[in-house]
Amino acid sequence: MTDVQETADAEDAPPSGRSEVELPPPCERLPGPKSSVCSRSYFVVVMVFFHVYIINVIALLFYVHYSSGQEDAGGARDADAGGRLLQRPAAAAGSRRPPAKPEFARDVSLTRLEGIRVGHVQKVSLVPDKVHEMRTLSLKPLLFEIPGFLSDDECRVVMRLAQLKGLMESQLMVQEGQEELAKELNLNPEEIFNLLDINQDGQLQLQEILTHSRVREGIWLTPENLREVYAGLKADKDDNGLLSLEEFRLLSSDAFQRFLLQRGVQRSQLVRNSRHTWLYQGKGAHQVLQEIKQRVTRLTRMPPALVDLSEPLQVVRYEEGGHYHAHQDSGPVYPETACSHTRLAANISTPFETSCRYITVLFYLNSVDGGGETAFPVADNRTYEEVCLIQNDVDLLDTRRNCDKSNLRVKPTKGTAVFWYNYLSDGKGWVGEQDEYALHGGCVVTRGTKWIANKWINVDPDYQRQARYQQLVSQLPEDENDEDSALNPDTHSHSIHQDL
């Protein structure tokens, strides 16, 4: 607005709340020289209104500046001892974003331990009056082993609590939903074919089909199984072991699974053969469970708030013959993918959802009589190529047949803990890309029973989503503000966990 316009506004509409100044009556025209009394009086009145207007504007600016300063002082919080993420409000009231999508400053960094070299030993203090040794097992992924992390009594308590809680099957015999997912994404057979065709040669090799069939934790197909399916479904018309687009069009998305189910499936043919349960570790939980969580926090040097809001402790039991084929604990996260633990704060609607487990801490609760090693098939490999995992009928992902071909195997020893990072660093103190070398699995138990526990630390690679999630949880009532709240998809009722 120009000065002329401002003056006109001031003339036409005096500020509200002030008594109007009475203008002198217009001067009568008298014969003789012109008088300047009328114009001078009018000028004085206009200038009074103009100065009042300017003073009001200046006062408003001071008020806005003062209010913003107060918000910056009270709203911008440093990271406290609990590791809460920071929120920095916008500088001016006019630039504030909607409350649902606040912007958070990247003022928190995640500590990442140094591996130095394979075999390097570090001293760590995790409990009073005791020093543990932490040995580097690999650099890709960054993997450590800590013998004696749990005492014999702590192992016994965790197993006993899991038995009292009750263990459930880790995988159902029938997996549903593949066709529904394809319909939801509106994918046609050609688009699905192109997604499966990793090397883009226009044909689907055995390993490309096998990799796809295991993504949703279905039936574990071997190359021999796949050839039987091809023959039973008459899918490979030219019998060359490859599927063309025309041959693929004749199959439904879960045709392989349905064919094997009709023939009958044994538990040994599943991706995972075990039983598990979850144990709450927050307020009111058994003292041993709380102490384990605190020890994990000290070991990983992660912000306590992140550990508190992560998944509860998972306890798993493998009977003789039990196994878990090689897998990733977390998935790659893209802009259209939501993390399971922060999905309510993601502000997106997507069928793509994955577990965002930045760190895995695995505890061996007993020593296994035979088998049961934790295998890392490609640990410290020079390169990683997914299509090279299955070659010449040797499937490195198959922990029932080929565990001995893994680059690294960790033998289950009672009380020992191993932990590794499932993601790389982004170079700025936060979560980066998925570490493909973190591929791991549980070798088949050949004799006895195997008990383990997993503590995952969940962090969203999208800093803003993680910060919004923590802000959302902080607004819940105190008795709900814990790892077992309804925001966590992998937990059960609060009361069940508290009983333990």
Side-chain angles (χ1 to χ4, degrees):
M1 182 180 289
T2 64
D3 292 341
V4 175
Q5 290 172 323
E6 290 175 349
T7 305
D9 290 343
E11 176 183 356
D12 296 338
S16 60
R18 289 182 169 274
S19 58
E20 297 184 0
V21 179
E22 185 177 349
L23 298 177
C27 301
E28 296 180 3
R29 294 183 177 272
L30 298 174
K34 294 182 179 179
S35 170
S36 62
V37 174
C38 181
S39 60
R40 191 182 305 115
S41 301
Y42 181 78
F43 175 78
V44 170
V45 171
V46 169
M47 289 305 295
V48 168
F49 279 114
F50 178 76
H51 280 81
V52 169
Y53 177 82
I54 292 299
I55 291 171
N56 285 336
V57 170
I58 293 175
L60 179 61
L61 290 176
F62 272 108
Y63 173 77
V64 171
H65 177 75
Y66 176 79
S67 299
S68 298
Q70 288 292 95
E71 290 177 1
D72 286 340
R77 293 164 286 180
D78 292 331
D80 57 17
R84 295 179 183 275
L85 301 182
L86 310 182
Q87 178 181 6
R88 181 174 297 166
S95 64
R96 289 177 186 163
R97 290 174 172 79
K101 288 188 178 182
E103 286 297 322
F104 297 86
R106 283 277 297 265
D107 293 336
V108 169
S109 294
L110 303 179
T111 300
R112 191 177 180 92
L113 303 186
E114 294 289 338
I116 310 299
R117 64 183 179 278
V118 174
H120 178 72
V121 176
Q122 306 177 50
K123 305 289 186 180
V124 290
S125 179
L126 304 176
V127 295
D129 303 324
K130 185 176 181 180
V131 175
H132 287 82
E133 289 188 348
M134 181 173 69
R135 182 183 301 273
T136 302
L137 296 184
S138 78
L139 299 178
K140 297 190 307 183
L142 189 52
L143 170 66
F144 303 93
E145 180 184 48
I146 307 94
F149 187 90
L150 299 179
S151 67
D152 289 352
D153 285 343
E154 289 172 329
C155 292
R156 179 184 54 79
V157 167
V158 172
M159 288 189 292
R160 181 59 178 155
L161 291 175
Q163 290 172 324
L164 290 173
K165 174 76 178 296
L167 291 89
M168 66 186 75
E169 293 290 345
S170 297
Q171 183 185 332
L172 300 177
M173 293 292 287
V174 180
Q175 298 292 313
E176 301 280 343
Q178 296 195 44
E179 290 185 334
E180 287 73 10
L181 179 61
K183 291 178 182 178
E184 186 175 357
L185 297 176
N186 196 26
L187 297 177
N188 58 45
E190 185 174 358
E191 290 171 324
I192 298 175
F193 183 90
N194 289 329
L195 289 174
L196 300 179
D197 188 10
I198 299 174
N199 59 9
Q200 294 297 297
D201 64 350
Q203 294 180 314
L204 296 183
Q205 281 79 23
L206 286 174
Q207 57 264 40
E208 290 173 329
I209 290 289
L210 291 175
T211 300
H212 163 70
S213 70
R214 301 164 181 173
V215 169
R216 296 181 64 82
E217 289 199 347
I219 301 169
W220 185 265
L221 294 174
T222 64
E224 294 84 0
N225 293 149
L226 195 52
R227 293 189 183 97
E228 293 174 5
V229 173
Y230 281 0
L233 296 176
K234 299 180 180 179
D236 187 10
K237 301 295 184 183
D238 49 13
D239 197 28
N240 64 351
L242 304 173
L243 287 186
S244 65
L245 176 59
E246 290 69 27
E247 292 170 332
F248 182 76
R249 288 182 188 275
L250 302 177
L251 301 174
S252 63
S253 61
D254 57 354
F256 299 156
Q257 307 280 13
R258 291 180 181 274
F259 177 81
L260 289 177
L261 286 172
Q262 290 172 358
R263 296 183 57 179
V265 177
Q266 299 177 350
R267 295 209 58 82
S268 60
Q269 292 181 275
L270 299 178
V271 172
R272 184 178 189 181
N273 180 13
S274 63
R275 298 176 66 86
H276 76 276
T277 192
W278 302 91
L279 297 180
Y280 172 75
Q281 291 182 283
K283 296 177 181 178
H286 194 285
Q287 185 63 31
V288 167
L289 299 178
Q290 296 190 57
E291 289 176 356
I292 291 174
K293 184 176 70 171
Q294 294 166 4
R295 205 172 304 164
V296 166
T297 304
R298 289 192 290 271
L299 170 68
T300 60
R301 303 177 194 173
M302 294 291 288
L306 288 177
V307 181
D308 289 341
L309 294 176
S310 295
E311 295 166 77
L313 188 72
Q314 185 195 50
V315 182
V316 187
R317 184 182 70 201
Y318 295 88
E319 302 292 345
E320 191 168 309
H323 68 278
Y324 194 176
H325 290 305
H327 61 282
Q328 295 279 1
D329 280 350
S330 293
V333 180
Y334 305 108
E336 62 274 10
T337 305
C339 291
S340 298
H341 76 286
T342 59
R343 71 186 188 282
L344 292 183
N347 294 323
I348 60 173
S349 176
T350 173
F352 297 109
E353 186 176 303
T354 187
S355 296
C356 298
R357 294 161 171 168
Y358 180 56
I359 289 177
T360 296
V361 185
L362 185 152
F363 317 99
Y364 297 110
L365 302 178
N366 74 321
S367 297
V368 183
D369 295 334
E373 301 94 341
T374 303
F376 294 82
V378 294
D380 283 328
N381 246 24
R382 293 181 62 185
T383 59
Y384 175 89
E385 292 185 35
E386 187 176 11
V387 293
C388 295
L389 295 173
I390 308 173
Q391 286 193 355
N392 302 323
D393 287 349
V394 175
D395 185 355
L396 292 179
L397 304 177
D398 192 332
T399 58
R400 291 186 59 84
R401 293 182 173 186
N402 301 312
C403 254
D404 60 330
K405 297 179 176 62
S406 293
N407 287 355
L408 174 66
R409 286 178 294 162
V410 183
K411 184 178 180 180
T413 303
K414 188 175 184 179
T416 295
V418 291
F419 92 88
W420 64 89
Y421 295 88
N422 295 300
Y423 293 92
L424 303 172
S425 171
D426 68 349
K428 302 176 183 177
W430 200 249
V431 182
E433 296 180 354
Q434 182 189 34
D435 189 344
E436 296 174 314
Y437 292 89
L439 189 73
H440 65 284
C443 299
V444 62
V445 177
T446 58
R447 188 169 65 256
T449 302
K450 172 185 173 183
W451 284 86
I452 65 168
N454 294 301
K455 179 61 181 178
W456 288 293
I457 300 180
N458 303 104
V459 185
D460 195 319
D462 186 320
Y463 186 95
Q464 298 299 323
R465 288 199 305 228
Q466 180 69 38
R468 285 196 297 270
Y469 166 70
Q470 291 195 221
Q471 184 191 55
L472 181 62
V473 172
S474 68
Q475 296 170 354
L476 295 174
E478 185 175 353
D479 59 343
E480 297 180 15
N481 185 3
D482 215 315
E483 64 190 74
D484 195 51
S485 69
L487 300 177
N488 198 317
D490 292 317
T491 60
H492 303 286
S493 70
H494 183 75
S495 59
I496 292 177
H497 284 309
Q498 265 201 325
D499 291 340
L500 299 179

